[in-house]
Amino acid sequence: MERLLAGFSALGWREYLFAAGMAYVLTYIYRVFQRRKESGKSKEKTYVIQTFDKRAIDRCKELFPIDVLSFKGKEFKRGMQIRITTIQQNVIVGEFIGLNRVNLVCIKTGNKIIAHQLEKIAEVTKAE
């Protein structure tokens, strides 16, 4: 213990200033990486199939086996026309195909099949 204290007493003010500066720089770099990592998580992830046929729809029904979506007390069943508003105010209107265990919702629009994260959805209503 005495050797450790003797080592600290041998340090001058320049070494202390350098150590404090390095600690600040390293902390700043760490926080920048943390913010980038967190910002990647908050982005909406939407998966789109541009062209599809009957086999693609059947495959989606296999990949999204849960046929009832419960959202804020309302239930939507497979085949219903629904309107989804995402947290970034994107609107998706189409036929509800299904839901899977990792909380992706599958919707068939006029010319696309879209899978979107359930936790990034702000509102779901029946389409008219």
Side-chain angles (χ1 to χ4, degrees):
M1 184 73 166
E2 292 178 10
R3 293 178 81 198
L4 183 64
L5 292 175
F8 279 130
S9 65
L11 296 175
W13 65 272
R14 288 184 182 146
E15 288 83 7
Y16 284 114
L17 187 59
F18 178 76
M22 284 301 293
Y24 177 79
V25 169
L26 291 174
T27 302
Y28 179 79
I29 291 170
Y30 174 76
R31 296 196 68 199
V32 166
F33 283 117
Q34 282 297 103
R35 276 189 235 121
R36 284 190 182 169
K37 182 179 173 185
E38 290 174 6
S39 69
K41 290 180 183 176
S42 65
K43 290 183 181 177
E44 291 182 358
K45 292 185 178 138
T46 303
Y47 307 97
V48 178
I49 298 174
Q50 293 290 346
T51 57
F52 60 90
D53 57 2
K54 176 79 169 120
R55 286 183 297 150
I57 293 172
D58 291 339
R59 182 72 176 139
C60 285
K61 288 180 181 178
E62 289 176 19
L63 293 172
F64 298 89
I66 303 169
D67 59 352
V68 176
L69 168 65
S70 295
F71 191 81
K72 294 185 180 177
K74 298 177 187 173
E75 283 193 355
F76 304 93
K77 296 182 180 180
R78 179 174 282 158
M80 290 178 71
Q81 293 293 318
I82 60 173
R83 173 188 210 92
I84 291 178
T85 306
T86 67
I87 60 173
Q88 292 183 345
Q89 300 304 312
N90 296 325
V91 177
I92 304 168
V93 178
E95 178 185 341
F96 174 62
I97 300 290
L99 178 71
N100 65 10
R101 304 228 184 271
V102 293
N103 287 333
L104 284 174
V105 178
C106 185
I107 301 130
K108 181 185 90 168
T109 65
N111 58 354
K112 299 176 186 172
I113 296 176
I114 301 171
H116 193 76
Q117 295 171 295
L118 184 62
E119 60 268 6
K120 305 293 182 181
I121 293 175
E123 181 181 18
V124 179
T125 58
K126 283 186 179 180
E128 297 174 13

